[in-house]
Structures are given as structure tokens and as C-alpha cells.
């Protein structure tokens, strides 16, 4: 046998009809001479000819020895597997048929037939062609031609599957320089095809005269493109580009918002995202409007090895409508807002951080749709976590944006807290606790209040053989006050003084749960009784009340040692508290519970407000009913009743009913005759009464309609807001049509109607339509 300039490579012998594998050095392009070693005469013997004068082709039968060309310089080897391989020596064509797989350097080509011409260095694949790229992209086609290095290729009737399972299909596709893939008459979509009828168009897709994928810059370019939803064209774009699925983030313009509002007139919001580096980025926000001119905003974020930092804000020079004794004035001034957050670890136990949230005026955040917050908090602090110990020291500032607020907000300079807790059972069968706080509230013109407090406590839980659970609590509180520049309510003079108080308090609470299993449910009845003892302390009206002005007496704080939310007011005297809790619990997770209770004070104490529910020795009855028997029902109802007449003092109801096809939700809040604590009366004649409700229906698989409304039932009240939202949502597209009506009245903010729609395209982004607004009448 004549030796060819090839290196022989033995093949594994397989039975006839099994795959024949040609492995080893089939270099890039399969070889420059012959594809396989052939059986032929010695080199001096001319090749035999057929009657027609052509050189017969050689076939590599199963189990035959194969040879390959040495690899070209810097080229990876090629692996070819097929059921049969034939070579035509005269034409220089090698053909592999039957389950053909050609792989080289991460590139894989699968087909029914693959042919290679050593004269043109072109590989031809036909029949169920699959081309797999090293980055995971897969291209399908009926027919393909590619060069020996696979950098140039042509695919007929191409379909491409990207890394995130997005699909790009077209009439023809070309690979250029191993970098670009150009698809003619292409269609792109990340949406799954309909399982019942794959011929239906996906939820949304982009049709373009030409689609080009750049695998180096990781961009997809569209020319003469139309965005279609359910096969219906909605937007035409002459040219645009988007990052491919391998890009996590990229600098560029985000989808702009254009609209009209009663506040701003015609406006546009344009955002540009700048990817500075993997650990930091920047977002620019420009909003020109007809009424307010140009609003400039931005947001900067950065991460560090020990924490992160984020700051955002906006500013404009525009009118600021205000109320004055002479009417309404609208001066032009610099208006703005800044918000920041930072968290940084010092070591395993310590960290420091800050929160910054300040605005120039009450209406800025609402007017420019940045936030609906009404109380802004800023702080600079450091804290330590060590086992059960916690320490925090910080400076706090507050800004109240509610239009009715006229009080000067204080600055906490500083607020220091420390908490520690012992191991369970280590002290007399219970655990000790210790809490300390130092607070200095500073005001420019008002009262300056300094307070140092500490509370030493102990709690033990004991269970006897009958199942009775007894909890014992004991504490001693000490507070020292230093008050400066406080106005005397009688003389009107400003005065300063110091106060010190010590307040011990204890409680014994006993619970005896009775439980019974009844088939698939468990029933529980638990009577609870507690005795709380402390000196019959009367809170001094000289001491400022900074943290206990608003008390909400209900079932959640009935058994607490102090029913006040803060520490400036003390809940003194002796009282007996009793109640009963009953519940039914299903094995499948459903439950229904009811609580009802009351407290009785042994001494009369007028520290509580008249309408608080705690003014009399016998408190109001409080209770709560919670029903969650199944996923289609969730009800919570809290109430407070007068102990003598049974008159309603408070109702708090929230609930939702029904399956997703039709679900009703609502809430109702009623509080009898509002009054602030410590003798400061806000309004003792007006009840707080508000109702809200909503209906939602997922009447089809992807469709939801929701209607909600809120109404103030108090005297002089009326509707607050109403909204109607229709939503379509599937795995890759969301469309919402929103109609809102706002009835609230604020100086500088127009109330009215607002209609707009929002579209969210998976992998493409969000588009918000112009918002059409009008003043409500």
C-alpha cells in the first residue's frame, strides 16, 4: 500500500452498520489533501480508472484504519463522526453521511450529510443542520455552507437559539469573519411558542428586514424593524440595537416617558444609564416640562469590599406655590431633593452607616413623582452586634411633609441605645435583660429635652404538670431628664429644670391551653389572666411627651407591661387583665382564631385620654377575629367596645374573599373621637372613619382586571381616590392600562384624573405611555 503524506490513526472496530469514527488530526477545514487514508497501489503505480476514465472514490468501511493530516499551525484538531465516509480523489471531495458530527475548538456541526471540498476549502452540510457555537448559541437550518475555519458561513432557513433561549429566525443567515451573524428577513422573540399551535405568533416579536448579531460587542442590531404584539404591528423603528442575552448591564438610554399632567403640562423624562465599572454605575435623569422648565436628577451607586453606597437626587429652578396670609404666591426658587444610603463593615462586630433624605419643600416629591413619603428620616450611626448584645449610637433628623403639620421637628443629637440579654434559664430559671438609652432632642426655638434611661429586667417561664404556663416579668426603670427652654403652660415663660424618676413594675401571667384533636382539625381554648403591679404613678405634665402622643389600644397591647408606645409616659398602678383565645386549626393549614379581653385597674388614673379606651378603671373590651379557612378567604377584624354601653369605639377590618377568578377585598377603619395623649386635644368631636374596597378578576389565564376605591366617611369627608387597572401578563410580556382619579387637595399639587398604559417586554425593557391628566371637578 502506497504511503500517503498522512499520519495513520487506528479506529475502533465496530460491527457493520454502526457508526464509523474518524478521529484525531482532521485539522481546521478537514485537511488540505485527502480526508481519509485510502486503500491504493504503490506510489509508482498509476491509479486505476473506471471505464469512463475517472478515478474511483474510496470508501472507509466500518472498522477500517483511518488517517488524518497533521494539524495546521495554531489550529485545534477536528473530530468527525459519521455512519459512513466516502472520498472522491479526482474531485477532492470527502462526504460523510448518517448522523454526522463535526467538531473543532468548541464549534460543532451536526447534519445528515457533510461534504468537504479540498479545492475550495468549503464544507457543505444538509439535512437537519445544527451549528453549535462555543458561547452556547445554536443555529438550525436546512442547508449550510461554511469555510474550513468556520468563520464564514451561509445557512438557509435559519433558526437561532440564543443563550437565554431567545429565538432568532430568518430566511437566510450569514456568518461573517467569525464575529457577525446577519439574518435576512429576521424575527426575534424571547417568548415561548404556543404548545398547542407553534405556528401562532409569540406574545411579542420584532420583525426586521435585517438582524445582525455581533458576538464580540454582544449587540443585536435591527434595521427596518417592527415590534408586534400577538402578531399585530404596534411600533416601527427604522434602526435600533439592544444588548444580547450575555450582557448583564450596558451604558445607554433607557425607555423615555412622555406625557401631559396638570402639574407639569407637557413633559418628557429621559434617562441615561452609565456603566462605569463592575462595582459602580450612574443614572442621569432629565425631565423638561412646559410649566417647570428643566428638572435634572441622577443616581450613583458603588459597592466596596466592606459595604455599599448609594445617593440620588434632583433639582430644578421653578415656582413653588405656597399659602400665605395675603393669598397664594408662586415665587421661583431652587427646589430639590437628595436621598442617600450607606452601609460599611468595620470588622466582624462593628459597622457604620448613614441615611440621608431631605427635600426643599413639601410638594417636590409628589409633584415630580419621586416618592409619596410623608415623613423623611436622616441619620448617621454606628452599631455593634455581639452575641445577644447590641449597641447603636447615632444622630437623627426628621422632616414632616404633611401639610397640616406646624410643629418644629427635632434633631436627635445623639441617640444612643444598648441592649443585652442573658442565656435562657441561667438566672433563677429565667433570663435577665438590660436596656439603656441616652437621647438629646434639640430644636432651634422649641424645647430641648435630654433623657437618660435604663431598664433592668428579668423574665421566667414555667410549665406545670397540668400544662399551665406561667410567665413572670419584673423590671426597674430609671429615667433622668434635663429640660431646657420649655414654655410654661400657665405663665408662658420659658424655663429649664431637671427631673429624676424610678419606676419598678412586675407582672404574673398565666395561660392554660385546652387542646382537642377532632379528625382533621385541632381545637384550642386558652384562658389568660395577668396581674400587673407598679406604683400608682401620675405622669407629670412638665415633662415633654416626645414618643407617646398617639396610643392605639387593641388586642395586641392588652397584656403588655406598658400600653404606651414610648417611654416618656409610664403606665402605673395595679391592674388585672383577662382574656380568652380560641382557635380551630386544620391539618391542611387553614385556621380560625378569636380573642376577647379586658383589663381592670385598681386605682383611677386620668393620664390616659378620654377616648383612648383606658381612661376608666374598667378598660374597653378589645378583640380580634381572624379567619383563614382556605386560600380564597382571609379576614382580620379588630374591635373595641365601651364596657358600659357596648358602643363601638374602634373597628378595624381587612379581608379578601374568593378565588382568583373573582376576588373581593376591602378594609374599614373607625375610631371614635380622635384625641392626642397627655391632655393635648386634637379633635374630640370628629370620628375617623374610612373605607376602601377592591375587586379583582383573573377571568382568563393571562388577564386580570382590578378596581379599587377609597372613601373618607367622616363629616366633611368624601372620595379620596379611585383606580381601575387592566393587566395582561405572561412569561415575557406585561401590559397594564391604568386609570386613576385623585381627590386629595394639596397646595401646589393638582388633583385630577390620570390615564396611561405600561408595557414591559422581557429582555427589551419597559415602555410607559404619555399620561393624560386633567383636573377633577
Amino acid at each position: 500500500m502506497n504511503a500517503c503524506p498522512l499520519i495513520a490513526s487506528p479506529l475502533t472496530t465496530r460491527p457493520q452498520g454502526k457508526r464509523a469514527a474518524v478521529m484525531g488530526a482532521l485539522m481546521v477545514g478537514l485537511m488540505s489533501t485527502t480526508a481519509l487514508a485510502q486503500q491504493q497501489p504503490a506510489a509508482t503505480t498509476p491509479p486505476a480508472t473506471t471505464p469512463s476514465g475517472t478515478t474511483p472514490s474510496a470508501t472507509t468501511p466500518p472498522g477500517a484504519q483511518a488517517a488524518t493530516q497533521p494539524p495546521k499551525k495554531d489550529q485545534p484538531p477536528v473530530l468527525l463522526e459519521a455512519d459512513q465516509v466516502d472520498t472522491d480523489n479526482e474531485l477532492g471531495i470527502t462526504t460523510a453521511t448518517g448522523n454526522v458530527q463535526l467538531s473543532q475548538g468548541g464549534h460543532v456541526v451536526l447534519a445528515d450529510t457533510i461534504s468537504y471540498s479540498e479545492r475550495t476549502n468549503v464544507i457543505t452540510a444538509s439535512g437537519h443542520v445544527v451549528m453549535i457555537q462555543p458561547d452556547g448559541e445554536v443555529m438550525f437550518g436546512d442547508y449550510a455552507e461554511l469555510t474550513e475555519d468556520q468563520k464564514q458561513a451561509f445557512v438557509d432557513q435559519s433558526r437561532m437559539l440564543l443563550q437565554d433561549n431567545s429565538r432568532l429566525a430568518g430566511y437566510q443567515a450569514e456568518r461573517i469573519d467569525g464575529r457577525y451573524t446577519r439574518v435576512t428577513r429576521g424575527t426575534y422573540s424571547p417568548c415561548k411558542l404556543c404548545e398547542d399551535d407553534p405556528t401562532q405568533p409569540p406574545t411579542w416579536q420584532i420583525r426586521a428586514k435585517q438582524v445582525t448579531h455581533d458576538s464580540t460587542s454582544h449587540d443585536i442590531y435591527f434595521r427596518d424593524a417592527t415590534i408586534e404584539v400577538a402578531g399585530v404591528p404596534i411600533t416601527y423603528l427604522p434602526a435600533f440595537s439592544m444588548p444580547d442575552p450575555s450582557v448583564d448591564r450596558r451604558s445607554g438610554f433607557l425607555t423615555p416617558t412622555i406625557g401631559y399632567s396638570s402639574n407639569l403640562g407637557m413633559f418628557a423624562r429621559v434617562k441615561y444609564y452609565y456603566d462605569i465599572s463592575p462595582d459602580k454605575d450612574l443614572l442621569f435623569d432629565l425631565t423638561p416640562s412646559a410649566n417647570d422648565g428643566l428638572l435634572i436628577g441622577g443616581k450613583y451607586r458603588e459597592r466596596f469590599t466592606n459595604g455599599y453606597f448609594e445617593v440620588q437626587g434632583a433639582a430644578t429652578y421653578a415656582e413653588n406655590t405656597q399659602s400665605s396670609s395675603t393669598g397664594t404666591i408662586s415665587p421661583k426658587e431652587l427646589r430639590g431633593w437628595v436621598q442617600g444610603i450607606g452601609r460599611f463593615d468595620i470588622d466582624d462586630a462593628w459597622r457604620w452607616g448613614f441615611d440621608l433624605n431631605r427635600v426643599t419643600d413639601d410638594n417636590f416629591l409628589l409633584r415630580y413623582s419621586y416618592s409619596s413619603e410623608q415623613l423623611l428620616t436622616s441619620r448617621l450611626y454606628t452599631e455593634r452586634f455581639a452575641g445577644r448584645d447590641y449597641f447603636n449610637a447615632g444622630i437623627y433628623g426628621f422632616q414632616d411633609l404633611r401639610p397640616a403639620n406646624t410643629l418644629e421637628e427635632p434633631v436627635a443629637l445623639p441617640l444612643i441605645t444598648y441592649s443585652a440579654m442573658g442565656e435562657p434559664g441561667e438566672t433563677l430559671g429565667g433570663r435577665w435583660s438590660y436596656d439603656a438609652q441616652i437621647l438629646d432632642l434639640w430644636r432651634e426655638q422649641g424645647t430641648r429635652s435630654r433623657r437618660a434611661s435604663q431598664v433592668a429586667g428579668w423574665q421566667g417561664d414555667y410549665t406545670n404538670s397540668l400544662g399551665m404556663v406561667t410567665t413572670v416579668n419584673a423590671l426597674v426603670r430609671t429615667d433622668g431628664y434635663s429640660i431646657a427652654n420649655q414654655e410654661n403652660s400657665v405663665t408662658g415663660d420659658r424655663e429649664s429644670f431637671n427631673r429624676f424618676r424610678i419606676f419598678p413594675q412586675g407582672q404574673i401571667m398565666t395561660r392554660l391551653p385546652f387542646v382537642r384533636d377532632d379528625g382533621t382539625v385541632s381545637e384550642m381554648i386558652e384562658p389568660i389572666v395577668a396581674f400587673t403591679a407598679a406604683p400608682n404613678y401620675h405622669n407629670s405634665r412638665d415633662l415633654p411627651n416626645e414618643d407617646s402622643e398617639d396610643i392605639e389600644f387593641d388586642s395586641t397591647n392588652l397584656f403588655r407591661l406598658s400600653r404606651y408606645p414610648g417611654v416618656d409616659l409610664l403606665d402605673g398602678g395595679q391592674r388585672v387583665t383577662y382574656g380568652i383565645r380560641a382557635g380551630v386549626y386544620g391539618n391542611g393549614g387553614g385556621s380560625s382564631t378569636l380573642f376577647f379581653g379586658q383589663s381592670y385597674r385598681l386605682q383611677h388614673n386620668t393620664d390616659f385620654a378620654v377616648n383612648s379606651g383606658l381612661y376608666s378603671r374598667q378598660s374597653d373590651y378589645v378583640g380580634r377575629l381572624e379567619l383563614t379557612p382556605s386560600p380564597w378567604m382571609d379576614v382580620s377584624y379588630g374591635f373595641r367596645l365601651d364596657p358600659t354601653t357596648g358602643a363601638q369605639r374602634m373597628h378595624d377590618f381587612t379581608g379578601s374573599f374568593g378565588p382568583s377568578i373573582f376576588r373581593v377585598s376591602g378594609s374599614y377603619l373607625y375610631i371614635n373621637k380622635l384625641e392626642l395623649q397627655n391632655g393635648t386635644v386634637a379633635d374630640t368631636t370628629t370620628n375617623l372613619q374610612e373605607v376602601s374596597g377592591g375587586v379583582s378578576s383573573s377571568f382568563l389565564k393571562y388577564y386580570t382586571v382590578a378596581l379599587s376605591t377609597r372613601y373618607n366617611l367622616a363629616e366633611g369627608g368624601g372620595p379620596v381616590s379611585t383606580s381601575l387597572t387592566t393587566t395582561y401578563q405572561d412569561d415575557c410580556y406585561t401590559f397594564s392600562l391604568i386609570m386613576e382619579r385623585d381627590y386629595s387637595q394639596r397646595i401646589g399639587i393638582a388633583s385630577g384624573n390620570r390615564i396611561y398604559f405600561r408595557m414591559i417586554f422581557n429582555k427589551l425593557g419597559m415602555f410607559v405611555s404619555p399620561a393624560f391628566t386633567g383636573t377633577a371637578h
Side-chain angles (χ1 to χ4, degrees):
M1 182 175 80
N2 187 25
C4 297
L6 304 173
I7 300 175
S9 175
L11 298 177
T12 301
T13 303
R14 299 184 181 179
Q16 183 67 28
K18 301 293 183 180
R19 308 191 72 188
V22 179
M23 300 181 175
L26 268 181
M27 305 301 105
V28 174
L30 291 178
M31 295 183 309
S32 59
T33 53
T34 59
L36 298 169
Q38 303 165 44
Q39 302 281 347
Q40 58 181 9
T44 55
T45 306
T49 59
T50 61
S52 60
T54 62
T55 303
S57 62
T59 300
T60 301
Q65 298 291 322
T68 56
Q69 184 184 9
K72 294 181 179 179
K73 186 178 181 180
D74 298 328
Q75 296 286 354
V78 173
L79 171 66
L80 174 67
E81 295 185 20
D83 290 342
Q84 184 171 320
V85 178
D86 298 321
T87 301
D88 190 319
N89 291 327
E90 183 173 345
L91 298 178
I93 295 177
T94 299
T95 303
T97 58
N99 301 313
V100 186
Q101 176 176 321
L102 174 68
S103 59
Q104 178 207 11
H107 296 269
V108 178
V109 181
L110 307 176
D112 294 340
T113 302
I114 292 181
S115 300
Y116 170 70
S117 173
E118 62 182 75
R119 296 178 181 177
T120 61
N121 291 330
V122 172
I123 301 172
T124 302
S126 60
H128 304 96
V129 180
V130 180
M131 301 171 62
I132 305 174
Q133 304 304 311
D135 60 4
E137 292 182 355
V138 183
M139 181 178 292
F140 304 88
D142 296 336
Y143 175 82
E145 293 182 359
L146 55 155
T147 57
E148 61 178 357
D149 57 6
Q150 301 191 35
K151 291 185 177 181
Q152 319 293 329
F154 167 84
V155 182
D156 190 35
Q157 301 297 320
S158 65
R159 283 99 55 202
M160 183 182 297
L161 187 65
L162 304 182
Q163 294 173 329
D164 63 339
N165 291 325
S166 300
R167 296 166 176 81
L168 176 60
Y171 179 68
Q172 292 177 341
E174 296 178 86
R175 183 186 300 155
I176 303 171
D177 298 334
R179 172 176 177 177
Y180 303 98
T181 301
R182 182 182 298 162
V183 179
T184 304
R185 289 157 53 183
T187 302
Y188 168 83
S189 177
C191 306
K192 296 179 181 179
L193 298 177
C194 177
E195 296 180 359
D196 298 332
D197 186 4
T199 61
Q200 291 184 2
T203 305
W204 73 269
Q205 61 184 1
I206 302 175
R207 288 188 179 274
K209 186 175 181 179
Q210 187 177 90
V211 183
T212 302
H213 178 220
D214 188 336
S215 60
T216 300
S217 67
H218 303 286
D219 287 305
I220 302 177
Y221 300 91
F222 299 87
R223 184 165 62 87
D224 288 343
T226 302
I227 299 178
E228 298 181 355
V229 176
V232 178
I234 62 169
T235 303
Y236 171 76
L237 298 171
F240 80 100
S241 65
M242 58 179 285
D244 70 14
S246 65
V247 177
D248 292 330
R249 59 183 193 175
R250 171 77 63 79
S251 299
F253 285 98
L254 304 182
T255 307
T257 301
I258 303 174
Y260 174 86
S261 74
S262 301
N263 296 317
L264 304 179
M266 286 296 301
F267 73 92
R269 177 159 284 178
V270 181
K271 296 182 178 181
Y272 182 84
Y273 175 78
Y274 179 40
D275 180 17
I276 302 174
S277 65
D279 60 339
K280 61 180 72 74
D281 57 20
L282 180 62
L283 179 67
F284 295 100
D285 184 350
L286 299 178
T287 307
S289 64
N291 295 344
D292 290 2
L294 181 64
L295 173 75
I296 301 176
K299 183 176 183 179
Y300 177 80
R301 302 185 301 176
E302 184 172 357
R303 281 199 171 273
F304 306 90
T305 56
N306 66 329
Y308 67 93
F309 163 77
E310 178 180 311
V311 63
Q312 63 178 325
T316 185
Y317 187 76
E319 293 181 348
N320 181 15
T321 303
Q322 302 175 10
S323 176
S324 69
S325 58
T326 59
T328 302
I329 57 176
S330 302
K332 276 199 170 185
E333 60 184 35
L334 181 63
R335 307 175 63 189
W337 159 71
V338 62
Q339 182 183 63
I341 182 173
R343 302 289 185 268
F344 301 94
D345 295 330
I346 301 174
D347 54 30
D348 292 341
W350 285 89
R351 76 172 182 178
W352 72 275
F354 70 88
D355 293 283
L356 176 64
N357 204 352
R358 301 293 293 181
V359 67
T360 56
D361 55 84
D362 295 350
N363 299 324
F364 185 91
L365 296 179
L366 284 175
R367 185 176 182 87
Y368 299 106
S369 301
Y370 280 112
S371 173
S372 59
E373 287 185 87
Q374 296 293 289
L375 182 62
L376 308 183
T377 301
S378 301
R379 63 173 179 161
L380 175 65
Y381 69 96
T382 183
E383 58 186 348
R384 181 179 186 270
F385 304 87
R388 292 182 172 86
D389 297 355
Y390 175 74
F391 172 83
N392 183 295
I395 302 172
Y396 291 75
F398 308 94
Q399 188 175 11
D400 195 334
L401 307 182
R402 292 172 293 187
N405 178 63
T406 59
L407 299 176
E408 180 186 356
E409 294 300 324
V411 175
L413 239 175
L415 173 60
I416 302 174
T417 60
Y418 173 74
S419 297
M421 187 172 290
E423 293 284 347
E426 73 172 355
T427 307
L428 301 176
R431 71 193 315 177
W432 59 266
S433 63
Y434 180 78
D435 298 276
Q437 185 181 87
I438 297 175
L439 173 64
D440 188 347
L441 289 180
W442 179 85
R443 292 179 176 89
E444 185 175 356
Q445 296 181 347
T447 302
R448 182 169 186 177
S449 175
R450 301 180 180 94
R451 184 185 71 212
S453 304
Q454 64 175 359
V455 181
W458 175 86
Q459 176 178 316
D461 295 291
Y462 306 95
T463 304
N464 63 17
S465 59
L466 298 177
M468 179 181 295
V469 181
T470 300
T471 301
V472 180
N473 277 286
L475 63 84
V476 177
R477 168 182 290 279
T478 56
D479 301 299
Y481 282 87
S482 177
I483 308 301
N485 197 35
Q486 176 164 290
E487 183 180 358
N488 188 298
S489 59
V490 177
T491 64
D493 298 331
R494 294 285 177 175
E495 56 187 15
S496 301
F497 56 90
N498 298 322
R499 291 285 189 275
F500 178 81
R501 67 188 185 187
I502 183 169
F503 183 73
Q505 193 175 27
Q507 184 186 75
I508 300 177
M509 182 172 62
T510 299
R511 300 178 288 117
L512 182 59
F514 296 92
V515 181
R516 186 184 72 168
D517 290 331
D518 186 7
T520 59
V521 299
S522 298
E523 301 170 353
M524 187 272 292
I525 297 178
E526 183 183 45
I528 310 171
V529 62
F531 177 71
T532 306
N536 190 25
Y537 181 86
H538 293 275
N539 291 287
S540 172
R541 294 184 182 273
D542 293 339
L543 292 178
N545 178 13
E546 302 284 1
D547 59 9
S548 300
E549 288 191 348
D550 188 13
I551 182 174
E552 297 181 2
F553 176 52
D554 56 22
S555 60
T556 61
N557 59 4
L558 174 64
F559 284 95
R560 290 182 184 172
L561 289 174
S562 176
R563 275 77 63 89
Y564 290 109
V567 300
D568 280 334
L569 299 184
L570 300 179
D571 192 355
Q574 298 86 52
R575 68 181 184 268
V576 179
T577 308
Y578 39 86
I580 187 169
R581 180 182 291 111
V584 178
Y585 306 90
N587 294 341
S591 65
S592 299
T593 61
L594 173 65
F595 175 83
F596 187 80
Q598 185 190 41
S599 70
Y600 181 81
R601 196 165 51 232
L602 302 185
Q603 301 90 10
H604 186 65
N605 190 325
T606 59
D607 287 349
F608 289 101
V610 174
N611 299 307
S612 65
L614 294 167
Y615 182 78
S616 302
R617 294 175 65 177
Q618 189 178 6
S619 77
D620 286 353
Y621 293 112
V622 294
R624 179 162 295 275
L625 173 66
E626 294 185 340
L627 302 175
T628 313
S630 69
W632 56 265
M633 181 177 179
D634 188 357
V635 174
S636 178
Y637 170 57
F639 57 89
R640 182 158 55 85
L641 305 176
D642 186 276
T644 303
T645 64
Q648 58 182 6
R649 297 302 184 190
M650 186 273 288
H651 295 289
D652 180 10
F653 170 86
T654 59
S656 59
F657 311 85
S660 59
I661 192 172
F662 186 78
R663 193 167 185 88
V664 180
S665 61
S667 66
Y668 174 73
L669 177 63
Y670 170 85
I671 300 179
N672 178 246
K673 296 182 182 179
L674 292 178
E675 182 178 11
L676 296 181
Q677 309 304 313
N678 207 19
T680 304
V681 178
D683 187 347
T684 60
T685 61
T686 301
N687 300 331
L688 173 63
Q689 194 172 10
E690 186 176 278
V691 64
S692 64
V695 177
S696 64
S697 175
S698 300
F699 56 95
L700 292 175
K701 183 177 181 181
Y702 301 114
Y703 293 88
T704 301
V705 176
L707 172 67
S708 64
T709 185
R710 183 180 169 195
Y711 198 92
N712 183 5
L713 299 175
E715 183 179 351
V720 178
S721 63
T722 302
S723 68
L724 174 63
T725 303
T726 302
T727 302
Y728 170 89
Q729 183 176 11
D730 60 19
D731 62 309
C732 69
Y733 174 71
T734 300
F735 173 87
S736 296
L737 175 65
I738 301 108
M739 293 175 281
E740 301 172 336
R741 184 164 187 175
D742 181 14
Y743 299 89
S744 60
Q745 300 293 327
R746 291 177 64 101
I747 297 173
I749 301 292
S751 62
N753 303 321
R754 188 169 182 233
I755 302 175
Y756 63 101
F757 66 86
R758 178 174 57 237
M759 295 186 294
I760 303 175
F761 298 91
N762 186 22
K763 311 299 182 183
L764 187 60
M766 180 176 68
F767 172 78
V768 180
S769 75
F772 299 95
T773 66
T775 303
H777 300 287

